[in-house]
């Protein structure tokens, strides 16, 4: 699976907003860009996508900035990725259940569906609150601790 730069930046920006949850002042885009080394112009587009998806509220003006639209514990990494990149798994731009193959590749659709299921099992179970606290779910930590997870192939 490839994670786009846009999705990576979006999750990092959302994690910054989660870390600021409860703060009286909204977080300015400049502060997020600096903290996460994200190009500010690119970040503005990402924040717009997150706002349109209902994940972020924006406030204009001198005291303006951004904050999460819901509690960080209720927003998953999957929510953020979908907001900026669309479905988690696509085959030639289509959902895996929409593709079909003939002959020797006939069972390939099931491989793509299984791949999507495994991706969901991770990103739908990690919230922005988990990221901000550094406390990932045990199942995700266990996957990341497996030496095979770190092997280049």
């Amino acid at each position: 699976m490839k994670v786009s730069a846009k999705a990576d930046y979006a999750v990092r920006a959302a994690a910054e907003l989660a870390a600021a949850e409860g703060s009286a002042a909204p977080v300015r885009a400049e502060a997020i860009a600096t903290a996460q080394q994200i190009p500010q112009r690119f970040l503005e587009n990402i924040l717009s996508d997150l706002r349109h998806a209902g994940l972020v509220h924006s406030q204009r003006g001198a005291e303006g900035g951004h904050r999460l639209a819901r509690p960080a514990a209720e927003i998953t990494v999957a929510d953020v990725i979908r907001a900026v990149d669309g479905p988690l798994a696509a085959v030639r731009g289509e959902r895996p259940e929409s593709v079909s193959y003939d002959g020797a590749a006939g069972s390939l659709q099931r491989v793509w569906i299984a791949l999507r299921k495994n991706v969901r099992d991770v990103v739908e179970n990690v919230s922005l609150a988990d990221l901000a606290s550094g406390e990932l779910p045990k199942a995700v930590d266990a996957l990341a601790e497996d030496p095979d997870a770190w092997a280049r192939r």
Side-chain angles (χ1 to χ4, degrees):
M1 174 182 173
K2 291 185 180 182
V3 176
S4 71
K6 189 173 187 180
D8 178 57
Y9 289 164
V11 173
R12 290 164 46 200
E16 286 293 324
L17 293 174
E21 190 171 53
S23 172
V27 182
R28 299 188 62 77
E30 299 84 20
I32 298 169
T34 300
Q36 289 298 319
Q37 300 176 356
I38 300 172
Q40 188 168 340
R41 182 168 278 166
F42 198 20
L43 177 62
E44 293 289 349
N45 291 331
I46 288 167
L47 290 168
S48 177
D49 288 345
L50 296 176
R51 189 173 57 254
H52 284 97
L55 300 178
V56 169
H57 285 304
S58 297
Q59 180 179 324
R60 294 188 180 270
E63 301 298 317
H66 307 274
R67 66 179 78 236
L68 294 176
R70 301 191 315 256
E74 295 177 12
I75 301 173
T76 67
V77 171
D79 295 328
V80 176
I81 293 171
R82 286 184 184 113
V84 298
D85 276 352
L88 294 176
V91 179
R92 300 181 320 269
E94 296 182 50
R95 295 182 183 275
E97 63 273 13
S98 299
V99 300
S100 62
Y101 303 96
D102 297 321
S107 60
L108 186 55
Q109 177 196 47
R110 293 180 61 77
V111 172
W112 300 146
I113 290 171
L115 174 68
R116 178 179 61 189
K117 168 73 168 102
N118 279 309
V119 169
R120 283 178 175 170
D121 283 349
V122 174
V123 296
E124 287 183 347
N125 289 298
V126 177
S127 72
L128 297 181
D130 296 332
L131 291 178
S133 72
E135 298 281 328
L136 298 178
K138 288 181 184 181
V140 174
D141 262 339
L143 288 170
E145 288 175 8
D146 184 332
D148 281 344
W150 295 84
R152 291 183 179 194
R153 293 186 192 168

